[in-house]
Amino acid sequence: QSALTQPPSASGSPGQSVTISCTGTSIDVGGYNYVSWYQHHPGKAPKLMIFNVDKRPSGVPDRISGSKSGNTASLTVSGLQAEDEADYYCSSFAGSSMLFGGGTKLTVL
Amino acid sequence: EVQLVESGGGLVQPGGSLRLSCESSGFTLSSYWMHWVRQAPGKGLEWVSRIKSDGSSITYADFAKGRFTISRDNAKNSLYLQMNSLRVEDTAVYYCVRGNWVYWYFDLWGRGNLVTVSS
């Protein structure tokens, strides 16, 4: 049950786009389309941003998008805004367990 | 209001026990799988355990097997996590989380409850 691999940090200027990767294996990210992404502002409850690889819940803007290729999923935040600064975590179904990535701190410069 | 509220955390000595509770409101708990997820200080999120809507299926992360027990009482709109033989490394904020069992994602999170294991 190893954690999924995310870069520890990412950054971009307002208006730019940033992509965060999430790498797993063929028995988790690569084996199912059950990848989700969460935004977490410290001290608050995490918020679902993407589910089923590329689906957005109601209320999440369309400048947030997800994709997957092989064992790597990605989250793209376009048109960066100050409120996008947060920690982002990917998650994947892994059969008998659920896995999270180590988290990526997104900084809006 | 749709929400989850955790309680029962606090300071406990290594080897001790603690029971976390999570009260749901605004939705029918019995329709959902539920999970516990934790976050150690300065670390990322870590899945702990899940329980099926009717309690008939339960799974744990390897570190929780044999020490933690998840349970639920749908009539009381409540989820529980009994933690025994606690270790310093179990120190974390524990989140009660509602799950979607079709696509396996977490769609509602509590604010979290801090458990500190220290002598």
Side-chain angles (χ1 to χ4, degrees), chain B residues 18-34:
Chain B
L18 211 57
R19 189 195 197 206
L20 300 182
S21 298
C22 170
E23 184 171 348
S24 67
S25 58
F27 66 96
T28 303
L29 185 69
S30 60
S31 297
Y32 293 89
W33 285 67
M34 294 298 294

Side-chain angles (χ1 to χ4, degrees), chain B residues 46-100:
Chain B
E46 184 175 39
W47 177 78
V48 177
S49 179
R50 71 186 182 206
I51 183 168
K52 192 177 177 181
S53 52
D54 63 1
S56 63
S57 176
I58 289 172
T59 56
Y60 298 97
D62 286 345
F63 67 82
K65 290 177 182 176
R67 298 191 302 128
F68 293 5
T69 302
I70 190 172
S71 62
R72 63 193 298 160
D73 186 336
N74 290 334
K76 294 183 177 180
N77 297 314
S78 293
L79 175 74
Y80 307 101
L81 185 68
Q82 176 67 43
M83 301 184 291
N84 300 329
S85 303
L86 282 162
R87 307 165 180 165
V88 171
E89 55 266 34
D90 294 319
T91 295
V93 173
Y94 284 74
Y95 294 96
C96 170
V97 189
R98 189 176 77 178
N100 177 288

Side-chain angles (χ1 to χ4, degrees), chain A residues 1 38 40 43 51 89 95, chain B residues 39 50 62 104-106 110-111:
Chain A
Q1 295 180 346
Y38 303 87
H40 189 201
F51 68 95
Y89 293 90
Chain B
Q39 184 176 31
R50 71 186 182 206
D62 286 345
W104 293 105
Y105 60 86
F106 308 105
R111 293 292 297 269

Side-chain angles (χ1 to χ4, degrees), chain A residues 1 34 36 38 40 43-48 51-52 89 91 93 95-98 100-102, chain B residues 35 37 39 43-47 50 59-62 95 102-107 109-111:
Chain A
Q1 295 180 346
Y34 300 145
S36 52
Y38 303 87
H40 189 201
K44 293 191 173 183
K47 176 186 176 183
L48 174 68
F51 68 95
N52 204 21
Y89 293 90
S91 178
F93 177 77
S96 60
S97 67
M98 301 289 292
F100 283 97
Chain B
H35 305 252
V37 174
Q39 184 176 31
K43 303 293 185 180
L45 299 174
E46 184 175 39
W47 177 78
R50 71 186 182 206
T59 56
Y60 298 97
D62 286 345
Y95 294 96
V102 177
Y103 298 120
W104 293 105
Y105 60 86
F106 308 105
D107 66 355
W109 296 66
R111 293 292 297 269

Side-chain angles (χ1 to χ4, degrees), chain A residues 8-63:
Chain A
S9 64
S11 62
S13 299
Q16 289 186 332
S17 294
V18 170
T19 297
I20 300 170
S21 62
C22 169
T23 301
T25 69
S26 60
I27 63 173
D28 40 70
V29 173
Y32 308 93
N33 284 328
Y34 300 145
V35 176
S36 52
W37 290 88
Y38 303 87
Q39 178 190 64
H40 189 201
H41 288 105
K44 293 191 173 183
K47 176 186 176 183
L48 174 68
M49 304 299 282
I50 292 286
F51 68 95
N52 204 21
V53 176
D54 59 5
K55 305 294 188 292
R56 279 186 305 276
S58 173
V60 174
D62 59 6
R63 59 188 186 83

